[in-house]
Amino acid sequence: MCNFSALCHSMEVFSMIKNTLVGDGANPITQHFEIGNHVASAGPEMVWKIYDAVRKDDRSAASVFIFDKKVADKLHKPKRGAAVAEILRKEVKNLERFSHPQVLELIHPMEESYDSLAFASEPVIASLANLLGNHERMPPNLPPEIKDHHFLDLEVKYGVFQVTDALSYLHGTEQCLHGNICPQSVIVTKRGAWKLAGIGFLQVARDGKDSFVAVPWTSKSSKMVQPDLDFIAPEIQLDRRCTYLSDMFSLGMLQCAIYNGGHSLIECMHNPGNYVKKIQELNYIFGTVADRLPLALVEPVEKMINRDIRYRPTAQLFALLKYFNDPVISSLQFLDSLQHKETAEISHFYTHTLVETIPKIPKKVLYQHVFPYIQDELESTEVPTYCIPALIAVVMQSSHDDYRKKLAPAVNKLLGISKSMKVTIALLERLEIIMAKTPKEEMRTEVLPLVYNTMDSTSVQGQEAALNTIGAITQHLDDDAIKKMILPRTKTLFKNSKTTKVKMCALVCIDRLLDKMEKSIITEDVVPFLTEIASDDPEILMAIIGIFRHMMHEKKYGLTFTLIATQVMPSLLPHTVSAVLNTEEFSILVDLLRDMLDVIEVHRRKSKTEAMHHEEGHFRNLNMKIHRHHSAAHIESMKRGGSREFREHAAARQFLSVDQVQQQKSRTAPSTPELKLHQKTMANAVSPTPKRRAPSIHALGPKQAVDFESVGYHSDHSDLPIHKQFSLVPEGPSIPGINLIPDDNGATSPSIPRRLSTQSLGRAVSHQTLSVANGEARLRRHSAGPAGVPPHETCKRTFSLDRKENRPMAILDTFTPTLPRRQSNFSSLTGSVMQLFSSGKT
């Protein structure tokens, strides 16, 4: 006994010396951690204050739990204060003892000073009690992640499963009873995991028995040294019996509190009498909360809080519920137990299971729980290749904003560090996904250097991966990057590589970059490069042919007929005699050459056609100028003559304007009697200029003679010249005149045949005859526009229409091949007249 007292005295002296060295009132844990803000609380009566901290050695994040002994001094009884400290010491020792993924992990053991106890754990957010609304011993300004916290259904499901898994470990493996399952004993980590703590009331089974010492709650002891009465099993409080199933009752009450705003179904206000009453009403109270629980949990939880322990499931049985049979839960559980898994299992999980599960995981859980594990792998000394598929899967599920805030720092760090070629190739194969989420200003500095460095490496596999990647990320590249960084490296790889596969990858890369290249780069850089390639390898030749055919699809690529004729075809023609090409490859080459020849031929024909049109337009304008000059000279000579005939002819001229022609509703509209009389009077009294035109020479037939004098064509102006002074046709012997005034009766009287229109000049019209009625000669017409060829009054002769005997026939006939088909617009008529002018002058 004396030895024990001496040992205790020595421990106190050692503690005092230690406190003196570290400073009065300062806990020794401050030597190892930088203590941050007070963020949460936990433990019995929330006596543990939780602070954010950073370990000084490696600058890793942590959380420091500190118990201020002054809190226990307020109990006014030293023994009670010592009892509280003893419970807390026991809790920390038990946490050190157990190593399980679902038990709070310690990273620094207990440190004690004169006025405090402290230990450090993995980074945590708060206790479950804090997140459910219990803010006792919390700072006045609550952190946003606690004040506005909201649990997802998946978080609650997995959290309950984690606590159940921890209890299963304690009951089955360690054969221990927790004794205080409540929200204050569950700690939520930064990664969102629910970890079991508060193991100060732990009891160990003895002699293989599954019963434990039952200590009922009493008001004679401090609340800090007793379990929470609102979660104690009734057999402990009323029957003084305790088994593993007592923890299951507390676990059922914990689940009810989660769906009841953090309040237990037994809120007895630390009064054992109230506890008894609440237990008796428990079934009714549960009925008011049951509809808030998931349907799959209602029956199991009802059994867990049953007064009869025989209905309660064990932790192992409860964990096997179908409710927890979820691939997401399984994946999260595997991540939490990675340290206990073999490398082969981890590799298969990351490359297959996790990649398939990530799309099903909510974003909050994905960023908070899953990605930190992937990030740990990326920050290891040797980055494992198997974690890259999972990383890419997370990036695919992220939004642009989430990627920038949550993922980009880790991804950019990975892209910049030295890593194995396998990891580099794995990243390059899916680099387009990363670039799709990367801001444009970061692509050039963070992502593209990986491509450039790999192209400059000596690894053939890396070069192939880099070239293949460029084709996939083309839409993210600008002109400057293509022209100065990528295209020169690609050409260098093709020239220096001895591997056909690398050369093929380089050509494919160039083909994919065509759409992003400027025309000048293609014509001045790409085309010369391709034409200078002297390789007999059929694969390379087929790739080159594919690029040229791609260029021929659109003009934007700049492959003109000149380039085709002077550069492209000369480089391809020698391959037509190559013996290494098979039949199919030779056909592909010949087809391309034929297509190129077609391009050249089409361009040549187009150029000739344009030149001919230009020349015809030039001659037409020249003929018009000559005609206007001759007409003006003739009129001027008539004026100088001062003849009375000129004035009479000038008064009698009737020209039809364009507006007047457009006002006519139809070319075949019948003439009125007044118009017919007017036409006859003008024809007999004014001039020998005809108001009718000659019908087609083919219609009248060969050698057909007409005596115009015998059919009533007379004139009193025998002294006028023989040429037609007021016709639209240039002067000349026996040139038919053209009158644009529609005839009468042509469309109404079936006895009078239709006459040819001016559009049928020079065209063969069959079945054309002359008829004589009422002393007048009339020609059958085929459309509007009377046509007649009366002789001059002074020339009483027969006017033969034979092509060989009369020059006018030859003049009309020369226009036969070029005259257009009959048209209903005025522009076509004008074109025919102009052609007649030009022919008459010749």
Side-chain angles (χ1 to χ4, degrees):
M1 187 69 177
C2 293
N3 292 335
F4 179 76
S5 300
L7 180 61
C8 291
H9 179 70
S10 300
M11 293 294 295
E12 291 178 0
V13 172
F14 176 75
S15 178
M16 291 176 62
I17 295 173
K18 187 176 181 180
N19 292 339
T20 303
L21 293 175
V22 299
D24 187 22
N27 193 285
I29 202 168
T30 57
Q31 296 180 355
H32 308 282
F33 294 89
E34 295 178 3
I35 309 300
N37 297 325
H38 176 205
V39 294
S41 58
E45 291 298 306
M46 316 295 282
V47 295
W48 287 113
K49 290 184 178 180
I50 305 175
Y51 294 82
D52 288 334
V54 176
R55 190 188 302 206
K56 293 181 178 180
D57 292 343
D58 55 5
R59 309 304 299 173
S60 60
S63 292
V64 172
F65 289 66
I66 298 178
F67 166 64
D68 188 357
K69 294 180 179 180
K70 294 179 181 179
V71 176
D73 292 343
K74 296 179 181 180
L75 300 176
H76 305 293
K77 292 183 180 181
K79 291 184 179 180
R80 290 186 177 181
V84 173
E86 185 61 27
I87 292 293
L88 299 180
R89 291 191 191 99
K90 183 180 178 181
E91 176 182 355
V92 177
K93 289 180 180 179
N94 288 332
L95 290 176
E96 290 184 65
R97 172 186 171 187
F98 302 130
S99 177
H100 190 267
Q102 314 309 336
V103 176
L104 185 65
E105 178 186 359
L106 262 66
I107 60 176
H108 193 85
M110 171 76 73
E111 294 284 359
E112 185 172 358
S113 67
Y114 175 76
D115 59 355
S116 65
L117 299 175
F119 70 93
S121 74
E122 59 185 308
V124 304
I125 298 176
S127 65
L128 181 60
N130 295 151
L131 299 178
L132 291 177
N134 186 348
H135 300 153
E136 186 179 358
R137 303 187 193 281
M138 290 278 290
N141 298 324
L142 297 176
E145 60 268 20
I146 296 177
K147 182 178 180 181
D148 303 326
H149 191 84
H150 173 72
F151 283 114
L152 301 176
D153 292 340
L154 178 64
E155 291 181 283
V156 175
K157 179 191 290 190
Y158 184 53
V160 172
F161 179 82
Q162 288 175 299
V163 176
T164 304
D165 191 29
L167 283 179
S168 180
Y169 164 74
L170 291 178
H171 295 171
T173 304
E174 299 295 338
Q175 296 183 349
C176 296
L177 177 76
H178 185 278
N180 190 30
I181 300 295
C182 61
Q184 299 90 309
S185 299
V186 178
I187 307 298
V188 181
T189 68
K190 292 284 188 180
R191 296 187 176 183
W194 291 16
K195 299 296 185 75
L196 190 60
I199 317 180
F201 303 99
L202 185 79
Q203 295 188 53
V204 180
R206 298 183 181 277
D207 301 330
K209 298 179 180 180
D210 58 355
S211 60
F212 303 90
V213 177
V215 181
W217 197 92
T218 175
S219 57
K220 296 180 181 180
S221 299
S222 170
K223 295 179 288 184
M224 296 181 183
V225 296
Q226 299 183 86
D228 193 333
L229 180 60
D230 293 344
F231 293 87
I232 290 179
E235 62 271 14
I236 297 177
Q237 185 68 20
L238 303 179
D239 303 332
R240 296 180 180 272
R241 291 185 298 108
C242 184
T243 64
Y244 293 124
L245 297 176
S246 298
D247 279 345
M248 298 307 294
F249 177 90
S250 301
L251 180 60
M253 296 301 295
L254 173 67
Q255 295 178 71
C256 292
I258 293 171
Y259 292 97
N260 193 35
H263 302 287
S264 171
L265 299 184
I266 311 173
E267 285 190 308
C268 55
M269 306 300 293
H270 306 291
N271 188 330
N274 291 339
Y275 178 88
V276 175
K277 295 179 181 179
K278 293 289 185 179
I279 288 294
Q280 293 175 352
E281 301 172 354
L282 187 59
N283 290 337
Y284 171 77
I285 299 173
F286 176 76
T288 61
V289 181
D291 59 338
R292 306 173 198 170
L293 273 70
L295 184 61
L297 283 182
V298 173
E299 183 178 354
V301 171
E302 185 178 15
K303 293 180 178 180
M304 293 171 73
I305 63 175
N306 197 293
R307 180 74 171 80
D308 191 343
I309 63 174
R310 294 175 299 178
Y311 291 98
R312 298 176 193 169
T314 63
Q316 294 85 349
L317 187 61
F318 184 71
L320 295 176
L321 283 177
K322 190 176 181 179
Y323 174 71
F324 299 114
N325 187 17
D326 188 333
V328 176
I329 298 297
S330 301
S331 297
L332 297 177
Q333 184 185 17
F334 191 97
L335 287 171
D336 290 337
S337 58
L338 280 177
Q339 56 184 348
H340 304 292
K341 303 295 183 180
E342 297 293 335
T343 304
E345 293 180 277
I346 297 175
S347 177
H348 182 271
F349 171 76
Y350 271 115
T351 56
H352 295 88
T353 307
L354 185 58
V355 171
E356 296 172 359
T357 308
I358 283 176
K360 305 174 184 177
I361 302 176
K363 295 292 183 63
K364 179 183 177 182
V365 178
L366 185 64
Y367 300 140
Q368 186 180 26
H369 196 104
V370 178
F371 182 69
Y373 285 101
I374 301 175
Q375 192 172 3
D376 291 344
E377 299 286 356
L378 299 178
E379 294 176 354
S380 59
T381 306
E382 286 291 335
V383 180
T385 308
Y386 57 70
C387 67
I388 302 301
L391 171 66
I392 299 301
V394 175
V395 173
M396 289 180 64
Q397 295 299 314
S398 65
S399 63
H400 286 79
D401 190 57
D402 289 342
Y403 176 83
R404 181 175 55 85
K405 294 179 180 179
K406 304 178 184 298
L407 307 181
V411 175
N412 293 339
K413 183 178 179 180
L414 173 64
L415 296 176
I417 64 175
S418 177
K419 47 195 169 292
S420 66
M421 186 54 64
K422 290 184 178 180
V423 175
T424 302
I425 294 174
L427 286 171
L428 288 173
E429 289 175 348
R430 306 305 298 274
L431 192 63
E432 72 275 10
I433 297 175
I434 297 177
M435 293 196 70
K437 301 297 176 68
T438 303
K440 291 185 177 180
E441 58 273 11
E442 296 182 7
M443 287 184 185
R444 182 174 298 181
T445 58
E446 302 293 343
V447 182
L448 291 180
L450 176 68
V451 181
Y452 304 151
N453 296 335
T454 309
M455 294 178 72
D456 296 336
S457 68
T458 58
S459 172
V460 175
Q461 293 82 2
Q463 293 171 354
E464 293 177 13
L467 290 171
N468 292 332
T469 299
I470 293 173
I473 64 175
T474 303
Q475 66 272 21
H476 304 293
L477 301 176
D478 55 22
D479 296 337
D480 192 59
I482 294 174
K483 183 177 181 180
K484 297 180 179 180
M485 305 299 293
I486 294 178
L487 188 58
R489 284 179 166 85
T490 303
K491 293 166 60 178
T492 302
L493 282 177
F494 182 90
K495 294 177 181 179
N496 297 339
S497 178
K498 299 180 181 179
T499 307
T500 302
K501 195 170 183 180
V502 174
K503 292 179 179 289
M504 289 295 297
C505 290
L507 293 176
V508 172
C509 176
I510 291 175
D511 183 62
R512 292 179 177 178
L513 289 174
L514 286 179
D515 291 336
K516 293 288 291 185
M517 291 184 186
E518 296 178 354
K519 184 185 297 185
S520 60
I521 299 178
I522 297 175
T523 57
E524 298 173 6
D525 202 346
V526 176
V527 172
F529 167 72
L530 295 175
T531 56
E532 292 173 1
I533 297 176
S535 175
D536 292 332
D537 192 321
E539 293 186 23
I540 295 178
L541 178 59
M542 291 299 104
I544 296 173
I545 291 174
I547 297 175
F548 282 134
R549 187 165 291 282
H550 186 182
M551 291 181 184
M552 292 178 64
H553 283 171
E554 296 186 34
K555 293 182 178 180
K556 68 178 182 179
Y557 300 124
L559 191 62
T560 63
F561 78 101
T562 304
L563 284 176
I564 292 174
T566 59
Q567 296 186 35
V568 179
M569 291 189 69
S571 68
L572 295 177
L573 284 172
H575 295 287
T576 57
V577 296
S578 175
V580 298
L581 298 181
N582 58 32
T583 304
E584 182 179 0
E585 293 166 346
F586 178 78
S587 299
I588 294 174
L589 173 60
V590 171
D591 288 343
L592 177 64
L593 292 172
R594 286 173 178 168
D595 292 343
M596 290 181 173
L597 286 174
D598 290 343
V599 171
I600 297 173
E601 182 182 5
V602 168
H603 185 274
R604 292 285 297 175
R605 289 181 177 178
K606 182 179 179 182
S607 300
K608 287 185 177 181
T609 303
E610 291 176 353
M612 292 176 62
H613 288 173
H614 177 73
E615 187 175 346
E616 288 178 1
H618 174 72
F619 285 127
R620 186 179 300 112
N621 294 335
L622 182 60
N623 290 336
M624 290 294 293
K625 291 179 180 179
I626 295 173
H627 167 68
R628 286 196 297 269
H629 175 73
H630 287 180
S631 299
H634 172 69
I635 295 173
E636 186 63 26
S637 63
M638 294 287 291
K639 289 182 178 179
R640 284 196 301 268
S643 62
R644 178 168 143 264
E645 292 84 350
F646 176 82
R647 291 190 298 273
E648 293 177 355
H649 282 292
R653 291 180 62 180
Q654 295 184 8
F655 289 123
L656 192 59
S657 66
V658 175
D659 294 335
Q660 291 171 329
V661 172
Q662 291 178 345
Q663 292 173 2
Q664 295 179 3
K665 293 184 179 180
S666 172
R667 293 181 180 271
T668 58
S671 301
T672 61
E674 292 79 4
L675 183 58
K676 176 182 176 182
L677 179 61
H678 175 72
Q679 292 175 358
K680 181 176 181 181
T681 304
M682 293 301 297
N684 295 330
V686 179
S687 77
T689 304
K691 296 295 190 301
R692 298 180 181 269
R693 67 182 179 190
S696 173
I697 56 177
H698 302 288
L700 295 178
K703 304 279 185 184
Q704 183 176 1
V706 181
D707 188 352
F708 287 91
E709 185 177 3
S710 64
V711 292
Y713 282 100
H714 299 281
S715 175
D716 297 333
H717 304 279
S718 59
D719 55 340
L720 288 179
I722 193 170
H723 55 260
K724 299 167 180 57
Q725 302 174 22
F726 304 105
S727 172
L728 291 176
V729 184
E731 58 270 34
S734 302
I735 300 297
I738 299 176
N739 194 338
L740 303 181
I741 302 176
D743 194 12
D744 59 337
N745 299 330
T748 58
S749 176
S751 61
I752 301 177
R754 293 170 56 92
R755 290 184 295 269
L756 291 174
S757 69
T758 57
Q759 302 300 319
S760 62
L761 290 174
R763 297 175 60 187
V765 182
S766 61
H767 309 293
Q768 180 73 19
T769 59
L770 290 175
S771 65
V772 179
N774 299 325
E776 296 181 359
R778 296 186 182 274
L779 301 176
R780 291 198 182 115
R781 66 175 183 172
H782 290 264
S783 67
V789 187
H792 197 277
E793 284 294 325
T794 59
C795 301
K796 297 182 179 180
R797 61 182 177 85
T798 300
F799 190 77
S800 176
L801 297 181
D802 181 67
R803 182 174 300 181
K804 295 182 179 179
E805 297 177 1
N806 193 288
R807 178 56 183 168
M809 293 294 102
I811 294 175
L812 293 177
D813 193 54
T814 57
F815 287 92
T816 301
T818 59
L819 285 177
R821 293 180 179 272
R822 173 189 175 102
Q823 298 181 13
S824 59
N825 51 46
F826 184 73
S827 61
S828 175
L829 179 61
T830 305
S832 299
V833 174
M834 292 299 102
Q835 291 178 356
L836 191 60
F837 288 167
S838 300
S839 176
K841 282 296 180 181
T842 58

